[in-house]
Amino acid sequence: MNPGNHDKTTGQEAHVHIVSYKEHASTFLGLILLTIMTVTVSVFGADLYTLTVLTALAIASAKAVVVAMYFMHLKYDPKIYKAMLGVVLVLFIVFIVLTLIDYLIRN
């Protein structure tokens, strides 16, 4: 038993995963592409009004999922953590839709 990988709270061996440089580089490139998409929508999609905001929020949500999955290592954690992230994202979408509906029906 490796003392560096031992979980003192449960007394069990902790699971260690090693992420390759290729995976980090592809994650970085994906985030850069999503950032370029956000800038493109904000600069060239200025006349789309509500659709611009909705698109920017969708891209920001995609970036948040990428960060959670790879940099927070959620990809390698138990499925319950992914389920909790899914619930949070669904609630986020519900609140965004409710806010959008409120915004659209105001004068």
Side-chain angles (χ1 to χ4, degrees):
M1 177 167 47
N2 186 353
N5 294 336
H6 187 71
D7 187 1
K8 293 179 178 136
T9 58
T10 62
Q12 297 177 353
E13 188 78 18
H15 297 283
V16 177
H17 59 273
I18 298 174
V19 181
S20 68
Y21 289 117
K22 181 180 177 183
E23 191 168 356
H24 279 299
S26 62
T27 303
F28 175 72
L29 288 175
L31 289 172
I32 292 296
L33 288 174
L34 287 169
T35 302
I36 290 170
M37 287 173 57
T38 303
V39 171
T40 303
V41 166
S42 68
V43 171
F44 300 115
D47 57 344
L48 296 176
Y49 302 111
T50 306
L51 189 60
T52 302
V53 173
L54 196 61
T55 306
L57 286 173
I59 294 171
S61 298
K63 287 194 287 190
V65 169
V66 169
V67 168
M69 292 299 245
Y70 290 99
F71 294 127
M72 295 172 62
H73 301 282
L74 190 61
K75 179 179 177 182
Y76 305 103
D77 284 340
K79 292 186 187 290
I80 186 71
Y81 297 141
K82 292 177 189 172
M84 286 190 288
L85 178 66
V87 168
V88 168
L89 287 177
V90 166
L91 287 173
F92 174 73
I93 290 169
V94 165
F95 285 118
I96 292 300
V97 167
L98 289 174
T99 304
L100 184 63
I101 290 171
D102 181 47
Y103 175 76
L104 291 175
I105 63 173
R106 288 184 183 205
N107 292 337

